[in-house]
Amino acid sequence: MKVPPPRDPTLDAVDQEIVRQNPPQQRPYVGASVLGRDCSREIHNMFRWVAPTHFNAATLRRFSNGFADEDLMGDRLDLVPSIELIRKRGDKQIQVTAFGGHFLGHMDGVIKGVYVAPKSWHIWEHKSTAEKGYRALTRAIAKHGEKGALAAWNETYHAQAQLYMGLTLDWPVPINRHYMTVSTPGGRDYQSVRTNYDPDAFKGYMQKAESIIFNLTPPDRISGDPEFFQCKWCTFHANCHEGKTAVVSCRTCVHVTPTEDGRWHCRFHDKHLSRTAQENACNKHLFIPEYIPWANVTEMDQESNEIHYRTPNGKDFINCDAGDFATFRFTSKDLQHCDADLLEKDGGFLKAMAMFEPEIVERKKKKPFDPPPLDDPLPDFL
């Protein structure tokens, strides 16, 4: 067996910096770029901030390459004198919204002058794909024709196209055609595919978005098999298949719901919540029961602000706003670190923990590496 060559520590350091400078972020809306995904539970979990999305360096590099390829393709289209390509509105991307802003999409641009339909405005999107995906699109065009190829090739991209077109119908100039350019990484090879607006498809996608946004209960998982290919690498694999509790934020709280005007409302405090408030959450937080997948609800006590649970092996505990480990009463901020094994097998540990006063430990940020000064800071050859 061949031993792989040792990794270059310099390139490892580059990857570490790429990850460090792109910390996990929670998107505050359902994006047009994800609504076409097969698993509605995944999209719901994104919107409800069930867990932060971490990207490794390789994925972040692919994102960066995709943005570069988009700019490259846009510059190439601009070379054609008869083409009018608008990529931004002012200094911002052109966007479409719905449901008060809970749904949002950022399009790459709008284009006019496409040779096969020179007088029509099109939504323009660019995708960079691996050679395998590029060949699959070529086959889809040959089999389904240009207008049917996108739906056959990639449902997520097709949904994005239909949503962008449907949400421009109230524009002064509605755009009911979509023009997608697709390239291999680096833009070496490229082709295009056009798609027409499909009102039935648009209606279906909007109904899907509305259901995900306004239903408190998460949709069903796409599969109960943790090895299913779409589950295996999902951000929420641990939540769906390993019994991991969601993280605390107002969006995982049973008291909080999105409103039709684009805000989030807390019924307990009867007030609307800023994004900062949503991220921090208050001590009245109670988990939406489905976000504690390792226990079942036995009682909901609204007056006391408590939800009572029982684990599969019969251990009772309470999610409440005043924790007490000794009596198995947990705030959400404690409960997010618990699971059935901890409660069922380590009850003695929890009772011991209850003897200690809680401490607030301030975590100091690690300072960036600061190399010692050199006697001669510049090499001789500079």
Side-chain angles (χ1 to χ4, degrees):
M1 186 177 72
K2 291 184 178 181
V3 178
R7 282 282 300 172
D8 178 358
T10 300
L11 297 184
D12 282 343
V14 170
D15 281 352
Q16 290 168 13
E17 282 301 305
I18 290 173
V19 172
R20 188 184 68 82
Q21 294 186 29
N22 291 274
Q25 293 183 348
Q26 304 283 34
R27 178 179 280 182
Y29 53 85
V30 172
S33 61
V34 302
L35 190 67
R37 294 185 183 181
D38 292 333
C39 185
S40 293
R41 169 75 72 96
E42 178 192 11
I43 305 168
H44 175 97
N45 286 351
M46 290 179 185
F47 184 57
R48 286 282 179 168
W49 298 349
V50 166
T53 301
H54 296 269
F55 295 115
N56 60 26
T59 300
L60 291 168
R61 292 198 304 268
R62 285 196 294 272
F63 290 163
S64 180
N65 291 344
F67 295 140
D69 287 348
E70 176 193 324
D71 289 339
L72 177 61
M73 192 69 234
D75 291 343
R76 287 171 171 172
L77 289 168
D78 280 334
L79 294 173
V80 181
S82 60
I83 285 180
E84 185 177 357
L85 176 62
I86 302 173
R87 293 189 241 181
K88 290 188 177 182
R89 180 176 287 164
D91 60 349
K92 296 182 179 180
Q93 278 188 286
I94 303 170
Q95 66 179 36
V96 291
T97 64
F99 307 114
H102 290 306
F103 179 87
L104 190 64
H106 298 90
M107 61 181 69
D108 294 340
V110 294
I111 189 169
K112 185 179 180 182
V114 174
Y115 274 35
V116 290
K119 296 182 179 180
S120 300
W121 281 102
H122 293 67
I123 306 292
W124 174 63
E125 285 289 306
H126 180 76
K127 303 297 180 185
S128 179
T129 186
E131 294 282 353
K132 182 179 179 181
Y134 186 84
R135 292 193 298 270
L137 174 60
T138 302
R139 292 193 298 270
I141 293 172
K143 182 176 181 180
H144 301 280
E146 184 186 20
K147 299 294 182 66
L150 186 58
W153 179 57
N154 190 300
E155 176 64 19
T156 301
Y157 295 161
H158 180 254
Q160 190 176 13
Q162 295 299 332
L163 289 161
Y164 285 163
M165 288 186 282
L167 291 173
T168 68
L169 295 182
D170 61 350
W171 285 13
V173 179
I175 303 179
N176 59 5
R177 298 191 183 193
H178 187 271
Y179 181 72
M180 177 179 286
T181 49
V182 180
S183 72
T184 55
R188 176 175 295 183
D189 297 307
Y190 48 86
Q191 60 183 317
S192 69
V193 58
R194 288 194 308 138
T195 307
N196 287 347
Y197 173 60
D198 181 343
D200 291 333
F202 172 72
K203 181 180 178 181
Y205 291 131
M206 292 298 287
Q207 288 173 340
K208 179 180 179 180
E210 183 176 24
S211 177
I212 289 170
I213 291 167
F214 293 111
N215 280 341
L216 190 69
T217 304
D220 291 337
R221 296 175 298 179
I222 191 173
S223 173
D225 180 5
E227 294 299 312
F228 183 63
F229 77 102
Q230 286 180 278
C231 296
K232 196 170 182 178
W233 308 112
C234 177
T235 294
F236 307 104
H237 184 278
N239 303 98
C240 288
H241 296 287
E242 299 172 21
K244 184 177 178 58
T245 309
V247 299
V248 170
S249 76
C250 286
R251 295 199 181 193
T252 57
C253 179
V254 73
H255 300 307
V256 179
T257 53
T259 58
E260 292 183 358
D261 62 0
R263 296 184 289 178
W264 288 80
H265 181 260
C266 174
R267 293 189 302 275
F268 189 95
H269 296 290
D270 191 21
K271 69 176 184 179
H272 290 97
L273 303 166
S274 67
R275 175 163 181 170
T276 300
Q278 293 171 43
E279 291 170 345
N280 294 330
C282 74
N283 63 353
K284 300 298 181 182
H285 182 288
L286 297 181
F287 276 114
I288 295 170
E290 286 78 7
Y291 295 155
I292 303 177
W294 44 271
N296 296 314
V297 173
T298 58
E299 180 185 349
M300 299 190 75
D301 187 341
Q302 185 174 354
E303 184 176 347
S304 299
N305 193 41
E306 297 178 353
I307 302 179
H308 297 233
Y309 291 87
R310 181 170 294 154
T311 67
N313 290 330
K315 186 64 185 179
D316 293 317
F317 66 95
I318 301 172
N319 184 194
C320 56
D321 53 33
D324 179 6
F325 287 2
T327 57
F328 290 85
R329 297 171 59 86
F330 300 94
T331 66
S332 293
K333 290 187 178 180
D334 289 327
L335 200 55
Q336 69 181 333
H337 303 296
C338 294
D339 57 24
D341 282 347
L342 179 65
L343 268 65
E344 293 171 350
K345 299 177 182 179
D346 294 326
F349 166 75
L350 292 171
K351 289 180 180 179
M353 288 291 292
M355 298 172 60
F356 296 91
E357 290 292 329
E359 292 183 350
I360 298 176
V361 180
E362 182 179 355
R363 295 183 179 182
K364 296 184 179 179
K365 292 183 179 180
K366 185 177 179 181
K367 293 183 179 180
F369 174 68
D370 188 10
L374 301 174
D375 293 333
D376 184 1
L378 296 176
D380 293 336
F381 56 81
L382 292 180

